[in-house]
Amino acid sequence: MINVRFETNPFLKRVAIANTYIRYVLLRPFVSWLAYHLYYKYRSKTKFKTNEGTALKKGIAFCLVARDEGYTIEACLKSIVGFADQLIAVDNGSTDDTFLKMTEFNEQYGNSIDIVLLKRPDLNLSECRQLCLNYVNRIWFFRGDGDFILLSKFKELKKIILKYTRPGAVSLKLIELFGDEHHCNRYVQFIRPGEYYLRSFERDIQYEEFFGRIEHARIPIYYRLQKKDAVGLIHANFCKSNKRIFYRTCYLDYREYANHHDEPMDFEAYEKKWIAHVFKSENPELIEYRMARLIAVMCKKMSLEYEEEIERTGIEIFQSPYIVMYREDHPFIRVRRNEVSKFTNEYVSRFENLQWVPDADEFYSDSLRIAFLEKI
């Protein structure tokens, strides 16, 4: 498997694409069918049970890990009503009202959905995902995040998959919003193939950190993979604070670093050094300004076609607490909506070097991370 990064040369990227096509489009369907008939039918009674060994109930478990998702968690949880029969939600150390809103959801819907709420700030993301599986008691489960909003297509899909006799994994397309509700990330497809978030549950599923950073649970070869053409969810990345948007990249870099060191520094210390390196400053006000500028240059105004696509999903996008402001017809800075009057088209931080220009290509590059690891 080739670890494709931003700076991977074009030839290796093409090799990776060809490898994926051969393995998953040409070979896997046949091998999967064969494995299903030769293996699954003889092991189903022992494998397709809870981790405690009891029989699975009909339905879908929604496994959610969230941290500081106070603005989107309520919309996320309400979107699973009518889809999930069980909810396992882990708060991974929030400092906002994320867990409070989980509790309020439990009070409102606890009679119709089996709900387990947990607080585990001491675990990493992969361990939180694994913890969720200890509580799953439905035949299907969905690997969710606190900024996912499920659309009606997933609810319609539920009626179909619960009739399946063969285990499988299903993906629907995903809409990625970035900056605010009217922008997307110029480096990421607006509508992209979703991952296999929805899949059959079986004992001994194990989350691993691939390439030392990305948490993933392997899908058995005898599972039938299905990619649906419909849009099934919205990634509400447009509601996070500027710092929170960079948290995910920093966290993944940290996991890769931690997995290669016997005594790694704690995440808080790593994050502080990482931010100072990426934004070339230790001044909090200047860092905040540069974050706001860098996110803005990553933004791309949604086309009318994309706006119409969101309308077709049938969901009303709630207003982001942030707004992307323009200078000379280009995204210039991303600020809180209630602070717009403070920022004009000519605004520059009093600590800013006027020669500094936000460079999204540099941020996504591997060389930036390599240089950081050499420093620490």
Side-chain angles (χ1 to χ4, degrees):
M1 183 182 294
I2 299 174
N3 184 10
V4 176
R5 294 174 178 258
F6 187 78
E7 290 181 340
T8 301
N9 72 59
F11 174 75
L12 286 180
K13 286 182 179 179
R14 287 194 290 270
V15 170
I17 292 172
N19 177 57
T20 300
Y21 181 81
I22 291 170
R23 290 178 62 185
Y24 290 95
V25 178
L26 298 182
L27 297 180
R28 197 184 195 285
F30 172 72
V31 176
S32 176
W33 181 89
L34 199 62
Y36 166 70
H37 287 282
L38 296 181
Y39 175 80
Y40 161 75
K41 290 182 178 179
Y42 303 100
R43 293 294 304 276
S44 60
K45 292 182 180 180
T46 59
K47 290 184 72 68
F48 290 85
K49 293 185 177 182
T50 69
N51 282 342
E52 294 181 345
T54 59
L56 293 169
K57 301 177 184 178
K58 189 175 182 179
I60 298 173
F62 191 88
C63 298
L64 168 69
V65 179
R67 175 173 173 162
D68 292 334
E69 299 287 4
Y71 197 84
T72 58
I73 191 67
E74 187 175 8
C76 168
L77 292 175
K78 286 186 176 179
S79 76
I80 73 171
V81 175
F83 172 77
D85 304 282
Q86 183 187 22
L87 167 67
I88 305 106
V90 180
D91 185 295
N92 192 213
S94 296
T95 57
D96 63 6
D97 60 352
T98 296
F99 192 76
L100 173 62
K101 290 182 176 179
M102 288 179 178
T103 303
E104 291 172 348
F105 180 82
N106 183 30
E107 292 172 354
Q108 185 175 0
Y109 293 96
N111 291 330
S112 56
I113 301 175
D114 293 340
I115 299 177
V116 177
L117 300 183
L118 303 165
K119 275 189 175 183
R120 292 306 301 266
D122 56 313
L123 301 182
N124 64 46
L125 181 56
S126 183
E127 291 169 337
C128 285
R129 301 270 190 224
Q130 195 67 43
L131 177 63
C132 286
L133 300 184
N134 292 338
Y135 295 88
V136 172
N137 61 19
R138 276 5 191 232
I139 60 175
W140 287 80
F141 79 98
F142 188 102
R143 195 217 81 192
D145 289 329
D147 55 1
F148 281 3
I149 300 174
L150 269 64
L151 304 174
S152 59
K153 291 298 180 182
F154 261 119
K155 295 180 182 180
E156 293 171 10
L157 183 63
K158 177 180 180 178
K159 303 172 185 176
I160 301 172
I161 66 167
L162 292 183
K163 297 178 182 178
Y164 289 169
T165 56
R166 178 178 172 182
V170 183
S171 74
L172 272 71
K173 291 183 177 179
L174 175 151
I175 287 180
E176 184 86 36
L177 293 175
F178 186 79
D180 61 26
E181 64 270 31
H182 300 294
H183 289 82
C184 52
N185 190 325
R186 66 174 64 253
Y187 293 91
V188 180
Q189 287 177 283
F190 172 69
I191 301 178
R192 59 186 176 87
E195 299 175 33
Y196 290 103
Y197 297 116
L198 180 61
R199 55 181 286 188
S200 301
F201 181 81
E202 65 173 63
R203 298 177 69 177
D204 305 324
I205 293 173
Q206 189 67 44
Y207 276 95
E208 307 170 56
E209 289 185 318
F210 284 76
F211 310 117
R213 58 190 288 127
I214 305 292
E215 81 286 348
H216 178 66
R218 296 177 188 269
I219 298 176
I221 188 63
Y222 50 86
Y223 276 41
R224 181 187 178 192
L225 302 184
Q226 297 185 68
K227 281 187 174 293
K228 303 292 186 180
D229 192 51
V231 175
L233 62 91
I234 287 177
H235 185 200
N237 205 26
F238 65 106
C239 292
K240 291 183 173 68
S241 69
N242 292 337
K243 184 178 179 180
R244 184 66 186 169
I245 285 176
F246 294 109
Y247 170 86
R248 174 68 172 172
T249 303
C250 179
Y251 176 80
L252 294 180
D253 285 354
Y254 175 75
R255 292 307 309 158
E256 188 171 12
Y257 152 79
N259 283 324
H260 288 88
H261 291 79
D262 294 331
E263 296 182 2
M265 70 177 76
D266 62 74
F267 176 73
E268 287 72 20
Y270 179 96
E271 182 182 36
K272 184 176 180 180
K273 291 177 179 291
W274 185 91
I275 289 174
H277 173 76
V278 170
F279 294 98
K280 301 178 175 63
S281 175
E282 294 183 359
N283 182 297
E285 181 180 319
L286 182 56
I287 289 172
E288 184 178 358
Y289 171 78
R290 290 186 172 182
M291 284 181 173
R293 291 278 287 112
L294 180 56
I295 291 173
V297 302
M298 292 179 183
C299 288
K300 175 184 176 183
K301 182 72 174 177
M302 281 196 295
S303 66
L304 179 61
E305 176 188 357
Y306 289 167
E307 296 273 10
E308 291 174 346
E309 183 61 40
I310 289 179
E311 290 180 8
R312 283 194 288 272
T313 65
I315 189 170
E316 182 180 342
I317 295 297
F318 47 91
Q319 191 178 67
S320 169
Y322 292 85
I323 187 170
V324 177
M325 297 181 67
Y326 276 63
R327 175 189 282 181
E328 297 177 354
D329 297 326
H330 295 288
F332 172 68
I333 194 168
R334 180 185 189 251
V335 298
R336 290 195 68 88
R337 196 175 291 271
N338 60 3
E339 296 179 344
V340 167
S341 59
K342 173 184 173 182
F343 298 90
T344 67
N345 285 341
E346 303 305 320
Y347 177 85
V348 176
S349 168
R350 59 197 168 116
F351 298 105
E352 185 56 274
N353 174 354
L354 296 182
Q355 302 303 312
W356 182 84
V357 177
D359 187 344
D361 286 339
E362 181 186 21
F363 172 75
Y364 280 115
S365 72
D366 302 322
S367 56
L368 184 70
R369 293 164 182 76
I370 292 170
F372 174 66
L373 291 174
E374 290 174 349
K375 285 175 58 176
I376 63 171

